[in-house]
Amino acid sequence: MYFNEKLQKLRKEKGLSQEALAEMLGVSRQAISKWESGQTYPETDKLILISEIFGVTVDSLLKDETSQPDSGNTGYTPYWPRRGVAFEYKSKRTLFGLPLVHVHFGFGIKKAKGIIAIGIVAQGLVSIGIVSIGLLSIGLLGLGLFGLGLFSVGLLLAAGVVAIGAFSVGTIAIGIISLGAVSIGMYSIGAFASATRVAIGDHAYAPIAVGRVAEGLWVFLDTSTAKDFSTVNSDAVRRAILAEFPNTWNWVVNFVTWFLR
């Protein structure tokens, strides 16, 4: 058995793709493909790394004989956590050409792409990762129809320390309807609220402003000692919204004035 055949056999026995092995060795996938087709051979340092990965001797890789285990290869045990893929799973069942589940974790940038994707960089219908992109995205950076993360962007809903979305909830929230310590949007509710229509908060700035400090065309000051808006008439705020913005959806009016009750 020649080197190229041994390499391909060992790689498949470990369940590694050409991409995964290339990443571990610090080479391109094309380089692995050329090695396995017998077009080229790896350099000495790469041969040593290959022997460490698969726990075989360098001699047995090069000689036309069956690869022999290297019992003295102490580099093999720590190699995986140091360089390689810690864990990868792809379900055989697919949908729309994507695996139903793809999990990919380890050192470096490990990408997962599937209907359900979990990885360092995850892309899927449901994605969980440091960077996640999908219909429902959960991660340090979440981008999707529904985004949850330290920094999240969601077309419909975003929740995070910094949240940007149609409906956003966060320390800093930016959206059509936004709730946060600092809230910016069309309808904003927060400690500091700035809006193009209605703002409710300790400091409120909008055409219709409700707060302890408020500036706008319609101003409703909260003078309650409990800071609970008990001195603000919610029905008066409702009438102001409908007078200034008559086409406002009823559920939006109800949602905004609910905070004043």
Side-chain angles (χ1 to χ4, degrees), residues 189-226:
I189 301 165
F192 176 91
S194 177
T196 58
R197 292 197 173 187
V198 182
I200 300 173
D202 285 341
H203 291 73
Y205 304 91
I208 299 173
V210 183
R212 299 188 67 79
V213 176
E215 292 183 14
L217 296 175
W218 300 70
V219 174
F220 299 88
L221 291 175
D222 173 27
T223 57
S224 63
T225 54

Side-chain angles (χ1 to χ4, degrees), residues 11-32:
R11 176 179 62 79
K12 289 182 177 180
E13 286 176 351
K14 282 291 182 185
L16 294 172
S17 64
Q18 287 186 339
E19 290 85 350
L21 181 57
E23 197 171 323
M24 296 165 68
L25 293 170
V27 299
S28 66
R29 187 201 62 79
Q30 289 77 11
I32 302 296

Side-chain angles (χ1 to χ4, degrees), residues 133-217:
I133 304 168
L135 184 67
L136 172 59
S137 301
I138 303 170
L140 192 65
L141 171 60
L143 309 173
L145 194 63
F146 302 94
L148 305 172
L150 185 65
F151 181 90
S152 64
V153 178
L155 293 179
L156 287 183
L157 171 65
V161 175
V162 177
I164 302 172
F167 188 97
S168 58
V169 181
T171 303
I172 299 175
I174 302 171
I176 295 175
I177 298 176
S178 56
L179 290 82
V182 176
S183 182
I184 302 170
M186 188 177 290
Y187 303 92
S188 301
I189 301 165
F192 176 91
S194 177
T196 58
R197 292 197 173 187
V198 182
I200 300 173
D202 285 341
H203 291 73
Y205 304 91
I208 299 173
V210 183
R212 299 188 67 79
V213 176
E215 292 183 14
L217 296 175

